[in-house]
Structures are given as C-alpha cells and as structure tokens.
Amino acid sequence: MAIGQHGQQDNLPSEILQLLSKHEPILSSEALPSQKAADVKGALDRLASRSMVKYDTIDREEAILEDEGAEIEANGSHEARVFEALRKAVEGLTVKELEAAIGDKKAASVGQGKAFKSKWIAKAKDGRLIASIDSIQDTTREQLQIIQKTRTHPDPKVIADLKKRKLVKMQKVISYEVSKGPKFALEMVKEETDLTADMLASGVWKTAAFKPYNFKSLGADQNAGALHPLNKVRHEFRQIFFEMGFEEMPTNRFVETGFWNFDALFVPQQHPARDLQDTFYISDPKTADKPHAERKDDKADYDAYWNNVKDVHQEGKYGSIGYRYPWAEDESLRLVLRTHTTAISTAMLHKLASKKGPDGRPPPARYFSIDRVFRNETVDATHLAEFHQVEGVIADYGLSLGGLMEFMEIFFSKMGIEDLRFKPAYNPYTEPSMEIFSFHKGLNKLVEIGNSGMFRPEMLEAMGLPKDLRVFGWGLSLERPTMIKYKVNNIRELLGHKVDLAFIERNPAVRLEKT
Ligand code: PHE
C-alpha cells in the first residue's frame, strides 16, 4: 500500500523496516547509501511517529577524494609513475622521453622532483634519468585507497597532510542510526485521521490505529487578503478623530468647481495655486453649474453665498477691502481635480451656517476627512501627482489660538508625535496660519507634519456663519506618517505598479506608538 505524499520514496519506509528485521541498529549512510538524507529523515519520521522505529541523528565529517586525489588513487602518485617509467626503461630516459612515457607534463615534472628527493631515481653520466632502486612503496596512493574505501584514515595526521596537498577534502554527512521501536512490524498499518460515524457504528474504532496529532506541524499558508499600509494608518487616524468627537465628512467627489476648491476659500483667481502647472483642470466638460442644493433637506442659501464670494473678492466685505479685481464667474465654474480636501470642509461649513442649535445659532462642530487630492506636481521619490489628505476642522464660539495649539498637541500625541513647534505661515484662507513641526528622533531634525490656521472672516462670513464663530482647520498628508512608520523611502514602493505584494501582506497591523 502506498502511504504518504512522497511519491517515489513510498517504499523507503518498508525498505527500512526490512533492513531492521535483519539486524539492528542500521546506519543510514551505510545501509541506504544512495538515498538523500532529507528523504531518509522523512521516512524515519513517519515510522517514528508510529513508534515503529527509534533513531538518532549522527553528524560526522567524511574525507573524500578531490579530482587529483582520485587520479592518484587510480594511477599512482606522480613520483611513483616517474619511478615505474624509468624502472621499465633499461637504458634510462631523457626528460622528453619521460614526459612522453607518462603522457602528462605536470605529473612528470612534479614526480621527478619528489622521486629525486626520495632517492628513487638518479641522473646517469650521459644525463639520462635512471631508477636508482629496485622497488618503491607508493604510500600516498595506499593512503588514498584506504580513504576511498572507508572515507577516513586511522591516522588523522595523514588526512591533515592530504588535505594540505589538496588531494582530499572533508564533507559533512548526516546519517541516522536506526533501531526497532516498541511497535516495530514489517507492515505499515494505515492510520486513521478521522473518527467517523461508520467506525462508531461498526465498532472498528476499538481496534483502529489513529494517527497521533502532530503539534509541531506548521499551519498551511493562508492566502488571505491584506490591508494596504495607507489603509491601516487611515484606520488609526479615523479612530483618533472619532475618539475626539469628530464627524466624518463625505469626500466622494474628486472633481470640484474652482468655486469650492478656491473662490469660496478666498483664493484670488490669479493665485499661482490655480495655475495649470499646479492644478489639473477637466477638459470635458470644462465647467459645471453654479453651486446649488443637491438634496431636498439642504436649506443652505447658495445664491446669496455666490454673490457674497463675488463681492468679497471684487469689492471687499465684512470689514475686508477684498482683492479688488474683476471676479470672473467662468473661472469659478471651471472643473478641477480637487487640490485639497478643504473644498469639502468649506461645503460642510456652508451647510453648518444654515443649521440651528438650541440657541437658534449654528452649533459647534468637529469634522474630519481622509481622502485623495490631486496636484500637478513633478513625480519623484517623495511626490506623486495624487496623495491623501487628513484634515480636521473645529468650529466653536470663542476659540483661541493658544487653546488650538494645545488641541494639536493632544491630537498628535495620540499618534506618538510629541514636542510640536509652530511656525507662522501663509494660506489665502487662514489668518493666522501655522505650519506644524515635530522633532524627528530618527532624522535628528524638525520635520514638517502639517499646515493649519484660523479660517478668515472673508471665507466664513460669506457663508453666513456668525462673526463670533471661529473655525480652525489643519491638514497633513497620510503618506508621510505612513512612510515614516513603515520605513519606506520611495513613495513608489508604497503606491503604484511597483509595489511589492509581499510588503503589503507582511506589514504589521499596529503602527502608531500612542502616548
Ligand atoms: N488645505 C491645506 C493644505 O492643502 C491644509 C489646511 C487645511 C490648512 C485647513 C489650513 C486649514 O495643506
């Protein structure tokens, strides 16, 4: 009966049992010289798991002949061959004749040197080489013959010497010393792997041999799905936001109008960020309708908002002198791939303006989003034309900058980023604006982790939000913390067709060292 998954090695276990029935113990290297050690071990393990055999592993070193050693073992040492050639030639030989007789120039020259040294040969008066004794003993050949037969030599000095002469080398050999186990038999009984209803009904279970559990066997590889590192870090960010009472914004629109992406944020129409070099514009269709309510329950006033945005850019409003340029409707209706998720925050804040809290005024709110944005950038090791933004906004009455800096410290400490530094910065839509830095211990320098600021009255009051409702926002990329966390230096190893699937599958699930 063929048992096991080893195919051709199926008869190896019974061969071992046969050998053991004749005498024990057996040494696998002697009894099964042509079998591979791994196959023998496989067969022995199967037999040992049924207690049919016991075995010990023996590691030893064997001496085996190198090519030159094998040649000497077969034909004699060089010096012996030189001696034999000269002994046969009654008149002696010239060096040339000797070479021809041996048929190996190197053997002839090496052999001559050694034979002279041992005084086996001499030079005659006429310059010819002659044998100077009747017989010699070819010790090297005899030593090699012993090694060829026994794979060792009784005198370790001999092996050391032959090794030095590069005639033999040592080789590690694994062998198994096998003897009968308590359940030794010539036949391998089929072992049951399952207890079935039939076996219970027929009573066979009482006598059946059950295969013991193998607690050492490794589980089969699971070909399961894996989450992308960006997804895992995103999940962690979402948890932090939810924990701090934030509501997730719907970010399922990659295409926006210039209005939501720029104008509503008080970004002037001639601002460099609106250049073709920085922003992807849609060519078909080129423009969208004017902003309007998309759902019945949307009570926000879009027309007044549109006019307010136009006025604040063109003439100034809400105490601001504006930019004072002719504001173009067409520019505002152009379709763009959104360059930041602040476009979504803006739409959400505009809706907030029409909400009424218990006191009849818009209630405080905390919103966040994590999604993709697009910028017409030159692609390099750290930049792609698209990335993910993590963005948060807090709207509340009487917010102060100091309080918000503290909030940032709490927020970033939840992902293990501490010791923040704030640097004044510029955004068209926030005042004041602050870049957020943190000291990176690995890089031993301050690295920028985000951008933030208080949204301007030009933006908020145009929406109809009350003057004393302050809104603070901040944004960072999802890629940067992910790359730092997973030690990825090239963004193309994280995103795109060059991503190594094994990298995705084997990454740990837990990344942010929370403090
Ligand atoms: N939109 C900014 C950016 O793209 C981030 C930001 C959001 C800044 C909100 C201030 C307020 O970097």
Side-chain angles (χ1 to χ4, degrees):
M1 188 192 337
I3 307 165
Q5 46 317 56
H6 296 284
Q8 346 167 322
Q9 267 72 50
D10 272 353
N11 52 8
L12 196 48
S14 55
E15 200 179 329
I16 293 168
L17 295 174
Q18 289 293 340
L19 287 165
L20 274 178
S21 71
K22 283 172 209 136
H23 73 99
E24 66 166 338
I26 57 166
L27 196 61
S28 66
S29 59
E30 282 167 6
L32 303 156
S34 57
Q35 295 286 353
K36 280 193 218 127
D39 293 339
V40 173
K41 182 165 185 341
L44 289 175
D45 283 340
R46 283 165 67 197
L47 292 169
S49 77
R50 296 154 189 248
S51 306
M52 296 174 78
V53 307
K54 295 181 294 201
Y55 73 89
D56 288 317
T57 307
I58 300 166
D59 282 332
R60 36 184 193 95
E61 289 223 298
E62 285 187 343
I64 58 161
L65 305 188
E66 299 259 29
D67 288 350
E68 197 182 343
E71 203 212 297
I72 292 172
E73 194 268 335
N75 303 321
S77 65
H78 305 321
E79 54 273 28
R81 285 164 73 190
V82 166
F83 172 80
E84 278 309 317
L86 295 179
R87 193 183 56 82
K88 277 190 210 142
V90 194
E91 304 276 289
L93 298 170
T94 63
V95 173
K96 278 251 139 54
E97 287 166 345
L98 176 65
E99 272 173 22
I102 291 179
D104 180 339
K105 207 168 165 179
K106 190 192 156 212
S109 99
V110 173
Q112 269 175 69
K114 291 210 171 138
F116 269 120
K117 226 170 161 190
S118 316
K119 303 207 161 70
W120 291 354
I121 64 169
K123 217 172 222 168
K125 283 207 182 90
D126 58 2
R128 294 168 82 86
L129 300 171
I130 51 165
S132 48
I133 46 174
D134 292 339
S135 66
I136 54 132
Q137 193 181 1
D138 190 354
T139 318
T140 306
R141 183 185 195 178
E142 283 163 10
Q143 289 167 343
L144 290 170
Q145 281 168 335
I146 293 173
I147 289 171
Q148 169 76 349
K149 223 180 267 160
T150 64
R151 309 245 150 182
T152 183
H153 194 280
D155 184 354
K157 274 196 215 129
V158 168
I159 293 184
D161 175 55
L162 293 174
K163 246 165 69 185
K164 219 190 268 162
R165 289 165 66 189
K166 296 213 161 56
L167 299 178
V168 306
K169 64 178 172 202
M170 302 310 287
Q171 184 176 274
K172 223 179 155 165
V173 186
I174 301 173
S175 183
Y176 304 96
E177 192 183 66
V178 193
S179 47
K180 290 178 184 168
K183 292 196 186 156
F184 178 81
L186 276 176
E187 280 287 312
M188 256 171 104
V189 193
K190 181 175 181 276
E191 287 186 319
E192 301 296 344
T193 51
D194 273 318
L195 178 62
T196 64
D198 285 350
M199 290 164 78
L200 290 173
S202 66
V204 162
W205 65 273
K206 285 182 210 158
T207 51
F210 287 96
K211 189 174 175 163
Y213 284 110
N214 177 6
F215 294 108
K216 285 185 192 148
S217 89
L218 296 173
D221 249 349
Q222 297 280 312
N223 193 7
L227 293 175
H228 190 277
L230 282 175
N231 236 315
K232 293 191 271 196
V233 175
R234 176 175 177 270
H235 173 81
E236 200 114 337
F237 271 110
R238 288 181 84 224
Q239 292 314 111
I240 293 169
F241 276 116
F242 286 134
E243 206 175 289
M244 298 184 87
F246 282 75
E247 190 185 316
E248 192 162 22
M249 297 187 263
T251 49
N252 52 347
R253 53 160 91 208
F254 290 179
V255 178
E256 283 286 1
T257 53
F259 181 82
W260 289 115
N261 198 79
F262 297 121
D263 297 277
L265 282 112
F266 200 51
V267 179
Q269 295 190 331
Q270 51 284 0
H271 192 276
R274 299 177 75 144
D275 266 11
L276 277 176
Q277 281 92 329
D278 290 309
T279 302
F280 290 113
Y281 287 89
I282 308 294
S283 54
D284 186 17
K286 273 189 168 36
T287 56
D289 297 340
K290 268 170 113 174
H292 56 270
E294 278 163 18
R295 290 162 49 132
K296 271 217 185 79
D297 60 359
D298 186 355
K299 301 233 164 39
D301 183 342
Y302 288 85
D303 291 336
Y305 184 27
W306 173 266
N307 290 327
N308 289 342
V309 168
K310 177 182 176 174
D311 292 349
V312 79
H313 279 246
Q314 203 164 272
E315 282 112 34
K317 214 172 178 175
Y318 318 112
S320 166
I321 61 168
Y323 292 119
R324 286 171 287 168
Y325 67 94
W327 186 78
E329 228 177 80
D330 292 353
E331 188 62 36
S332 199
L333 295 179
R334 280 178 87 181
L335 286 170
V336 302
L337 285 182
R338 70 174 175 223
T339 64
H340 51 189
T341 43
T342 320
I344 309 282
S345 305
T346 307
M348 288 296 286
L349 290 169
H350 174 240
K351 283 193 179 133
L352 180 67
S354 62
K355 284 195 183 145
K356 285 191 173 68
D359 58 356
R361 298 160 43 119
R366 289 181 168 199
Y367 300 134
F368 82 93
S369 68
I370 306 173
D371 210 338
R372 199 170 289 209
V373 299
F374 307 85
R375 292 190 189 168
N376 197 353
E377 283 196 84
T378 315
V379 172
D380 65 24
T382 51
H383 296 89
L384 292 179
E386 51 182 283
F387 63 97
H388 296 78
Q389 259 186 348
V390 179
E391 175 154 324
V393 294
I394 301 178
D396 206 345
Y397 296 93
L399 287 181
S400 75
L401 197 65
L404 291 164
M405 286 160 79
E406 195 191 349
F407 177 90
M408 286 293 108
E409 268 161 5
I410 298 168
F411 175 79
F412 282 104
S413 76
K414 285 180 182 283
M415 58 196 83
I417 299 172
E418 288 196 302
D419 208 1
L420 300 186
R421 295 281 186 284
F422 299 91
K423 179 180 152 188
Y426 173 75
N427 293 309
Y429 40 93
T430 53
E431 183 59 40
S433 311
M434 301 182 297
E435 277 170 1
I436 305 165
F437 286 76
S438 140
F439 188 78
H440 191 287
K441 292 198 190 83
L443 301 173
N444 200 34
K445 64 173 184 186
L446 285 168
V447 291
E448 193 195 330
I449 48 174
N451 179 14
S452 68
M454 282 280 199
F455 288 116
R456 295 181 76 102
E458 287 94 329
M459 170 180 164
L460 301 179
E461 286 183 47
M463 297 172 175
L465 284 170
K467 248 189 198 326
D468 56 344
L469 184 84
R470 300 271 152 76
V471 185
F472 182 74
W474 72 99
L476 60 143
S477 86
L478 182 61
E479 279 77 358
R480 175 170 287 203
T482 306
M483 286 171 76
I484 293 174
K485 202 66 221 170
Y486 288 103
K487 300 195 167 60
V488 177
N489 294 324
N490 192 330
I491 198 159
R492 286 166 282 203
E493 285 165 26
L494 189 65
L495 282 166
H497 63 282
K498 285 188 185 161
V499 172
D500 177 3
L501 273 185
F503 165 77
I504 306 295
E505 282 162 5
R506 306 224 178 97
N507 265 319
V510 178
R511 350 30 29 223
L512 305 177
E513 284 102 29
K514 292 180 197 164
T515 43

